[in-house]
Every structure is written in structure tokens, then in C-alpha cells.
Amino acid sequence: MFENYFNKRENEILQIKKNQVLQEPGRNPARAFYVKKGLLRSYKVDDNGKSHILMFAPEGWIISDIESHILSTPSELYIDALEDSEVIKIKKFDVTFFTQVEKSNNQLIEKLVRRIAVLQKRVVLLMSSPAKQRYEHFLSTYPQLTNRIPLKMIASYLGITPEALSNIRSKMRSQ
Amino acid sequence: MFENYFNKRENEILQIKKNQVLQEPGRNPARAFYVKKGLLRSYKVDDNGKSHILMFAPEGWIISDIESHILSTPSELYIDALEDSEVIKIKKFDVTFFTQVEKSNNQLIEKLVRRIAVLQKRVVLLMSSPAKQRYEHFLSTYPQLTNRIPLKMIASYLGITPEALSNIRSKMRSQ
DNA sequence: CGATTTTTTGAATCATATCAACGTACGTGG
DNA sequence: CCACGTACGTTGATATGATTCAAAAAATCG
């Protein structure tokens, strides 16, 4: 769906090295990236300096601080690369962007609603389930990602320490 | 903004008693309600039978399982009243509803994005902050609600037990 | 008022964090 | 290709925060 849009315009294709930072907090407007190849993540750094991963974006995904975009507030997120990646920087990323890319606004709305659904699910999981169940949910929801993402980042996504996830894994092994 | 829409149509105005359930899981499509007066909440019941409150809706808010709506999947949420309330049942709640009520789709999009922002914030808080800080965040974000909502429901919103919240409060008192 | 629900308190237990040490894998320069 | 250094992952000991369970006190409702 997005490919068409990108091909017919002069969008910037970037070759990104692993660990390269594509966006830092404070930028306004925030950037958005379409991942052609590789793997990006977005994360937030809290007051104690700890990182919390909000999403992973493998091939075919768009990643951005959509909140910052559409509300024109300074971004609070980092975006960087977990693998060497090929990404397209979306130049004009606002509401009109979607109306061009999507067949209609309704498709954008559906996308946003899906994002709400994912976040809502995650809130309930964080509130109701111990780390082990959250990890199992992650495994079944993103099976294709679990091999590509280092343990400590999965832990950061789940909201636990790397040590805790390591323990969970070892318990799961011995069962 | 919504009032205009409701007044010029034959929408159903409901008088709701405290504790009355407006929506249960399984309903498809899910309903949506505009709160004229009173206080509603939406919540999910997990596999262990525990409730987790997703949002409170005081006067002027719309509450619904928007995910269920727009994706036409069965609802997983309950909606009920925490106070005697006066609500308007939105009959035709889909994308076209918003295009009539809102000046443009962009306003709907902005609403959805705000919802994403709130949920994203909540995910990070759940992952990074101990219960006390989450409670303080709740207090400062919804000062007008804290007196109206019983402790045990605030606990359910924060993802902790009522006992834990009671302890936090007593510690805060003695400081 | 009495009955029911909510809030508080305390004790025992559990899950996860923290800290420290060690083992392993990986990439780079020699 | 090897040796080294750096990152990452694992493991164990201890500390902390929250849960669970039980019971009493306080608030609310009919």
C-alpha cells in the first residue's frame, strides 16, 4: 500500500547502520520512517535514565512518534536501528500524507484504531499478567521477531529487567 | 461540539442508575455513549475474573469500545455507571458518525491520536514507575475525578490492589 | 438504626529488582 | 586466523514492592 506512494515521489531512501539514531527527543515535527529492510525501534527514556521500548518496526512497517506529529508537540521518543536497515524518510508526514497514501481517511482511521487496540491490550497485560505470561504473549504475537531481537530489548519492551527475562527463559526451558 | 449533533436528531437520552450496565462483552457492534451528566467507566475482565478499568468518562466525554466499533469485532469491554447518569446513546456510531459531528475527519484523527498518546503514556508509566508515582500522576491528571471515584476503582485503573493503594495513601498522609 | 460495602491495617508470601560475579558470543585489529 | 576487548546473557544472593488473606474500622445505603 505504501510502496506505490514512495515510488512515485522523490522520497529519500536512507541506508542505516545498526545502532544509528534516526530521531531524538525534542525534534518538532517528529520524523516518520517506512522500513523497507531491517528493523527499527522507538523508545522512551524515563527520568531515571531507563529505556522503555514502545514498538519494533520490521520490514513493511511505519514507525514514528505519531502523537508528536499530529499534535505538533515536541517528540519524546528515540528511534534507532537494531539492524542495518533501508528506510524511507517520509517528508510530509501529516494528515494529508495519509489521505494521499491511503485510499481514504477511513483506512488511516482504521490504522489508528488498531494501534489503540494494541496499546489497550498491552495496558491490560501489564496490569493483569505476570512477566512470564507477557513474554508468552509476545512470543505468540511476534514469532518472527523473537530471534532477531536481543533479550535485553525484549525485556525492555515487556517492562522487566534482562535478568528477570533470563530467569523466565530458563524456567521455560526446564519444563 | 457534540451537543449540536445530538440536539438536532432523535437520539435516545437515557437516565442511568448507578451500577447499571450499559454494555457487556460479546455485543457487536459495540455501543457508544455521550455522557451529559454523571460518570461512566469501561473495563475488561481478565481470565482470572479480575476487572481492569480502561477509562473513566465524566460529563462531556464519549465512551465506547472504539476498537470493536471500527473494526466490527465483538466487544470485550463492559461499560457501566459509577453515578446516576444521563447519557445519549449514539445510534449510528461508525466512521460516518464522526464526519457528521466533527468539522472534518481531521478532528476525529486528532481524537484518536490523543487516545494513543494517553495509552502510550500509561504503558510507559506501568513499565517504569512504582505504584505511588502512578497514583500521583493520576491525581495530577484527573484532579476533578479523584473525589468522585472510590479508591478500589482507582486501584483497578492503576493496576494495583485496593490494599496497596490504601497503604500508599497512608504513607502520603504521614509525610 | 442495622446491613452492606469500602477502606484500613497487619502478617505472610511471592514476584521482580538490584547487585555482583561469571560465562559466552561477537567483532575488530593485529 | 587468533587474541583481545566489549557486549550480552546467565546465575545466585539479597532487598523491595506488591499481593494475598484475615480482620477490624469507617463510610454508605436502605
Side-chain angles (χ1 to χ4, degrees), chain A residues 126-128, chain B residues 52 122 126 131 134 154-161:
Chain A
L126 283 168
M127 292 199 302
S128 68
Chain B
H52 305 279
R122 207 163 153 197
L126 283 167
R134 302 208 299 278
I154 298 180
S156 165
Y157 178 87
L158 294 175
I160 58 178
T161 60

Side-chain angles (χ1 to χ4, degrees), chain A residues 50 131 161 164:
Chain A
K50 287 182 190 164
T161 60

Side-chain angles (χ1 to χ4, degrees), chain B residues 19 26 30 62 64 70 99 108 110 149 171:
Chain B
N19 295 327
I62 281 189
S64 77
I70 295 186
T99 64
L108 165 60
E110 200 171 308
I149 300 175
K171 273 175 206 153

